[in-house]
Amino acid sequence: MAKMFENKIVANNKFNKLGLIEKRLRMCSNLTIEQAASYLNISKGYLSEIENGKRILKEETFFKFIHHFYPDFDLSWSIVEETENQLDQLFYALAYWNSKQEDDVEKWMVENRGYLLNSFACIYLAVLETYFSYRRSLNRDDVDTINSSEDFVQYLSPDIRALLLFNKGYMYMKSRIPTAPEKSAQAIRIFETALKEMDGKRWPQLEGIIKANLATAVAKDISFQQAFKIAEQAKSIFIEEGNFLRMAAIYNNQAVYLNNIGQYERAIEIIDKLLLNKSVFKDEKVYRLAVMNKILSLIEWGHFNEALQFIHDHKSEMDPKCPDNFTLEPYCLLRAGKEKACLAAIKLYQNSSLGEEDEVFYALIKAIISQNFNRVEKAKVKMFSVCNRMKNWGMMLVMLQALAYFYKQTHQSDRLIEIYEWQAMLHNHQMPSICEM
């Protein structure tokens, strides 16, 4: 028994690590707290306090637990070292968007899950399972596992601790925790905690990855300007580490933030740097995002003919299954005074896979062309609701621009002034409410 406590994980029982290891093992095997407490001949409440760090789990009680439920438990350190090596591989897959390497780690986790569960490496399952949870639909047990994952951070070294927290924050940011209120606020809190936990000695780029995602969460609900500054800090880290793929992704994000505060020319300058360096991209999605962002920048800047030419020059790269901002071509045609071509283009794009906001925007364009005031107002309210729910501030700004065009054409000065006020509010991340419309 003494040799077990020479193990690095349990050498210091200050934080009642054995109680939390018991909890991890119990949860991974779907063992109820009642079942475990009954076998250990203690009350459910007493075991609950042990698992929550309020009481110490005695060594002999821990042995009794694993000998009964985990007779093949591996007390050695080798599986822990192997798992940490896999975590290194997983982090570098994350840092460089290497999906093949990520697949390999997930395959290793699945194949060795039983082995991991029967060793002190079980604590790393919280990291691995939380990381890979973004790849599947989550059930209640999955959500419980993610929400309880923070219980195990005290076992881990600073950067692994931060990675676990980042994984959880990412799931909130992507709205993968369906029952969670204020998802962006939760993500921001978790990302900020992760930054405090890490030291960067194991994975220097982790700080940049967390800050890049923190910027995205901040841009959703708080401030585009603040998001830009946080992204700038992340970009500096990736430049220093020579990770140009991540750096390029940050440029794309910063262009979006600049668009949303009305600095279109500056946004295009950033995007053009990316477009000029297409040959160095290892991931085509960075280039594709740059193309999408430039279309939006030109449109929000009011350069409709230039946007049309840019769309024409890149049309061969459009994916019908995901046309993204190419769907704004009909609006460019409308603003260029080509209403028939606009309606024809809408018919063509409706054969593609359109998003909800695209469908509603096309209804708005048709109403503008027919100058049907009631239909314009109906489409306006619906699109505002869709964009607000999706936090698609770029499309909301395009909608406001289209409404300003319509109200100006129909001499509705009061509503035109209102639209300009809403645009100013949106640039400052002050969202006009639906009832105001």
Side-chain angles (χ1 to χ4, degrees):
M1 184 186 299
K3 289 184 178 180
M4 172 182 136
F5 296 102
E6 294 174 5
N7 187 294
K8 298 177 185 179
I9 282 186
V10 294
N12 180 359
N13 202 25
K14 177 181 177 182
F15 297 109
N16 191 19
K17 295 179 179 180
L18 294 181
L20 285 174
I21 288 178
E22 178 276 330
K23 179 181 179 180
R24 180 61 179 156
L25 291 170
R26 181 180 64 75
M27 291 177 62
C28 286
S29 57
N30 295 319
L31 187 68
T32 68
I33 194 167
E34 290 87 354
Q35 290 171 318
S38 176
Y39 176 74
L40 296 174
N41 198 27
I42 57 178
S43 70
K44 172 186 172 183
Y46 191 86
L47 183 56
S48 177
E49 289 185 343
I50 286 175
E51 291 187 347
N52 290 312
K54 296 178 181 179
R55 291 182 181 272
I56 299 296
L57 179 65
K58 295 180 180 179
E59 296 171 6
E60 56 267 27
T61 306
F62 178 74
F63 261 109
K64 181 180 180 181
F65 173 82
I66 62 171
H67 283 328
H68 181 73
F69 293 107
Y70 293 90
D72 299 323
F73 195 87
D74 185 348
L75 301 177
S76 71
W77 183 246
S78 59
I79 182 61
V80 175
E81 291 180 326
E82 183 180 354
T83 308
E84 286 201 344
N85 178 61
Q86 290 294 323
L87 283 171
D88 284 331
Q89 298 303 312
L90 183 61
F91 175 76
Y92 289 111
L94 170 66
Y96 295 96
W97 284 314
N98 188 330
S99 58
K100 172 62 170 61
Q101 192 170 352
E102 194 177 73
D103 292 342
D104 290 343
V105 176
E106 185 176 27
K107 181 180 178 182
W108 178 87
M109 179 191 74
V110 172
E111 291 177 347
N112 292 278
R113 191 175 188 278
Y115 187 27
L116 294 171
L117 188 55
N118 274 279
S119 72
F120 287 115
C122 66
I123 62 170
Y124 292 116
L125 275 175
V127 184
L128 293 166
E129 290 177 344
T130 304
Y131 183 96
F132 289 113
S133 59
Y134 84 91
R135 289 186 161 198
R136 63 180 190 274
S137 298
L138 303 182
N139 57 34
R140 183 68 249 180
D141 288 341
D142 293 326
V143 174
D144 288 344
T145 297
I146 292 171
N147 285 332
S148 65
S149 61
E150 286 186 58
D151 292 344
F152 308 100
V153 297
Q154 58 187 283
Y155 295 107
L156 310 171
S157 61
D159 284 0
I160 297 179
R161 223 162 34 224
L163 178 63
L164 171 59
L165 292 167
F166 165 73
N167 294 341
K168 181 176 178 180
Y170 185 83
M171 297 303 290
Y172 274 97
M173 186 179 73
K174 293 298 182 181
S175 298
R176 301 282 288 132
I177 311 295
T179 59
E182 301 179 347
K183 298 182 182 69
S184 293
Q186 287 277 55
I188 290 169
R189 177 191 67 79
I190 296 170
F191 289 152
E192 288 175 342
T193 302
L195 289 170
K196 292 175 184 177
E197 291 287 343
M198 70 169 296
D199 61 15
K201 293 179 180 178
R202 189 182 191 111
W203 302 316
Q205 293 188 66
L206 180 57
E207 180 182 356
I209 292 171
I210 296 172
K211 285 186 173 179
N213 284 272
L214 174 60
T216 300
V218 166
K220 284 186 175 183
D221 283 327
I222 299 177
S223 167
F224 303 123
Q225 292 92 337
Q226 186 180 340
F228 184 91
K229 292 177 182 178
I230 297 170
E232 190 70 19
Q233 296 170 13
K235 186 174 68 179
S236 298
I237 293 169
F238 295 132
I239 291 173
E240 184 176 345
E241 294 295 322
N243 189 337
F244 299 109
L245 180 60
R246 282 276 180 181
M247 182 191 72
I250 292 289
Y251 272 127
N252 265 321
N253 291 346
Q254 287 186 308
V256 172
Y257 307 149
L258 290 171
N259 275 338
N260 289 343
I261 59 177
Q263 296 190 25
Y264 310 120
E265 188 172 9
R266 189 177 171 195
I268 289 174
E269 287 177 0
I270 289 176
I271 295 166
D272 282 343
K273 289 179 182 178
L274 295 177
L275 297 177
L276 286 171
N277 289 281
K278 178 186 176 183
S279 60
V280 303
F281 296 158
K282 296 180 181 179
D283 191 328
E284 279 293 313
K285 71 179 180 182
V286 174
Y287 172 73
R288 181 170 175 78
L289 282 172
V291 170
M292 297 304 108
N293 285 334
K294 183 157 185 179
I295 292 172
L296 191 61
S297 297
L298 289 170
I299 290 170
E300 291 187 4
W301 199 14
H303 291 211
F304 302 108
N305 286 314
E306 190 175 344
L308 283 170
Q309 184 60 54
F310 184 81
I311 289 170
H312 178 268
D313 292 343
H314 294 80
K315 201 69 172 286
S316 61
E317 300 164 30
M318 188 185 84
D319 180 359
K321 295 181 180 179
C322 189
D324 293 316
N325 289 339
F326 282 105
T327 59
L328 291 172
E329 182 181 10
Y331 175 61
C332 294
L333 290 167
L334 169 67
R335 298 304 305 273
K338 302 175 182 179
E339 292 184 357
K340 289 184 178 180
C342 167
L343 293 172
I346 286 176
K347 287 184 178 180
L348 287 175
Y349 277 103
Q350 285 177 329
N351 293 323
S352 301
S353 298
L354 298 179
E356 187 179 1
E357 72 276 26
D358 296 318
E359 293 280 9
V360 180
F361 190 53
Y362 285 168
L364 177 64
I365 291 175
K366 291 176 183 178
I368 288 173
I369 290 175
S370 64
Q371 294 199 351
N372 187 317
F373 178 79
N374 289 333
R375 285 171 55 198
V376 166
E377 296 305 302
K378 183 178 179 181
K380 176 180 74 174
V381 172
K382 187 172 182 181
M383 188 167 180
F384 188 93
S385 177
V386 169
C387 290
N388 197 39
R389 171 166 45 82
M390 299 174 66
K391 302 186 186 299
N392 190 339
W393 310 134
M395 279 300 293
M396 188 179 288
L397 285 165
V398 173
M399 176 196 70
L400 293 177
Q401 184 189 71
L403 289 170
Y405 166 77
F406 174 69
Y407 293 143
K408 189 174 182 180
Q409 292 290 100
T410 53
H411 309 291
Q412 299 182 61
S413 57
D414 288 345
R415 289 189 176 273
L416 181 60
I417 292 171
E418 196 173 41
I419 290 298
Y420 289 151
E421 290 174 348
W422 287 339
Q423 286 175 330
M425 289 174 67
L426 191 57
H427 288 322
N428 291 298
H429 224 291
Q430 299 168 344
M431 308 303 164
S433 65
I434 296 174
C435 63
E436 289 177 328
M437 299 186 122

